[in-house]
Amino acid sequence: LGSFARALDEGADGVELDVRLARDGVPVVIHDASLQRTALCEGVVAVMTSSELGRTDVGSWFNRAHPQLANAEYALQFIPTLDQVLTLFKNHLRPGVIYVEMKTDHAEGTYVDLSRSVVHLVRDHGLESRVVVISFNLRAVAQIKTLDPAIRTGALFEPRRNTLKIIRKHPMITAALECGAEEILLHRLIANHRIVDLSLKSDLQPVVWTVDDPKWVRRAASMGMRAIITNDPAAMTAVSRTQPT
């Protein structure tokens, strides 16, 4: 929660986050399927309850690893539920967009339950106009549209070994359109002018992830990108303020 609040305070227009289902069916906000990297401990998200995860310290390790950046607040950070994150955004003085990435990977069969829970929470918080639900699992994206066509969605794509072949044939655009997505989120290695132009011509709004080089601000603007996903919102927004509107 601390990192999301800081992103908004540093001028970000929104955040991107990942959700998985805990054992009790509650969507929790964490990227990995296990706790090894985020909390430096054993544990698998899918076999723990949201309450157990909510007591898992995910900040103290940062203070130890980066003493020059340490902050007492970080030691009080735990794995939040999606409900807690949406509450933060609803109450924050600076409104922002929330890209909610649904993670299913090895828990492929959970995408229907996860989609249903995400839609319920977005509606409950009245954030339909500010949330974009995204996923690599395009069946999950399509499920969101089935549950609530009004919620904006996006299809995620990353590089493959045969990247050039993929870009020439453009199955990404076809797949994104078939699942009902309004946005196509491209890894920076495949976000070239050709695929972006084709996306725009297909009424798909392109987004690039994850870029930390400020040069991407001008590049994305010239290509017609809808958004940039970055780890360093302060640096990127500082550059964007100097760009012509």
Side-chain angles (χ1 to χ4, degrees):
L1 292 176
S3 64
F4 298 140
R6 178 172 175 177
L8 293 177
D9 292 341
E10 290 188 351
D13 299 305
V15 302
E16 187 271 352
L17 54 87
D18 307 280
V19 294
R20 297 177 175 275
L21 282 181
R23 191 183 74 197
D24 52 359
V26 175
V28 291
V29 178
I30 182 171
H31 178 279
D32 296 358
S34 77
L35 303 181
Q36 291 181 349
R37 183 177 64 91
T38 306
L40 299 183
C41 67
E42 297 298 323
V44 176
V45 174
V47 299
M48 298 176 68
T49 67
S50 56
S51 296
E52 291 172 327
L53 293 165
R55 297 191 296 270
T56 301
D57 176 4
V58 292
S60 295
W61 69 268
F62 183 87
N63 287 341
R64 294 192 297 269
H66 306 281
Q68 72 279 13
L69 299 174
N71 187 316
E73 178 189 356
Y74 299 160
L76 302 175
Q77 297 299 305
F78 305 94
I79 297 174
T81 63
L82 179 59
D83 183 46
Q84 290 173 311
V85 174
L86 294 182
T87 297
L88 168 69
F89 271 79
K90 190 174 181 179
N91 295 333
H92 198 279
L93 293 177
R94 190 171 186 274
V97 177
I98 311 108
Y99 279 84
V100 178
E101 180 183 344
M102 296 188 295
K103 290 286 190 183
T104 58
D105 44 49
H106 299 301
E108 183 74 19
T110 67
Y111 79 88
V112 173
D113 290 337
L114 180 57
S115 299
R116 188 179 295 113
S117 296
V118 168
V119 168
H120 171 76
L121 287 169
V122 171
R123 286 174 173 171
D124 190 50
H125 286 274
L127 293 173
E128 293 94 333
S129 64
R130 291 169 56 188
V131 168
V132 184
V133 182
I134 63 177
S135 185
F136 287 103
N137 184 343
L138 301 190
R139 288 190 296 171
V141 175
Q143 184 68 23
I144 294 293
K145 282 300 182 187
T146 298
L147 294 169
D148 192 337
I151 294 180
R152 193 173 180 88
T153 59
L156 273 161
F157 295 97
E158 59 186 343
R160 302 294 184 184
R161 290 182 181 179
N162 56 343
T163 299
L164 291 178
K165 183 178 179 182
I166 286 177
I167 291 175
R168 289 189 184 118
K169 289 190 174 182
H170 315 302
M172 292 182 290
I173 292 175
T174 301
L177 291 172
E178 286 179 348
C179 72
E182 289 92 356
E183 301 186 18
I184 184 168
L185 292 91
L186 305 165
H187 186 278
R188 66 183 184 278
L189 295 180
I190 56 176
N192 59 29
H193 280 279
R194 181 174 171 80
I195 193 69
V196 169
D197 288 345
L198 283 169
S199 299
L200 291 170
K201 289 176 182 177
S202 301
D203 292 325
L204 283 170
Q205 294 297 310
V207 177
V208 61
W209 59 278
T210 299
V211 294
D212 297 328
D213 186 343
K215 292 179 181 177
W216 264 99
V217 173
R218 178 174 295 178
R219 183 178 180 186
S222 69
M223 295 170 75
M225 290 279 187
R226 173 180 171 83
I228 293 173
I229 295 178
T230 180
N231 291 312
D232 193 349
M236 301 299 262
T237 53
V239 172
S240 66
R241 294 190 191 102
T242 67
Q243 302 298 311
T245 57

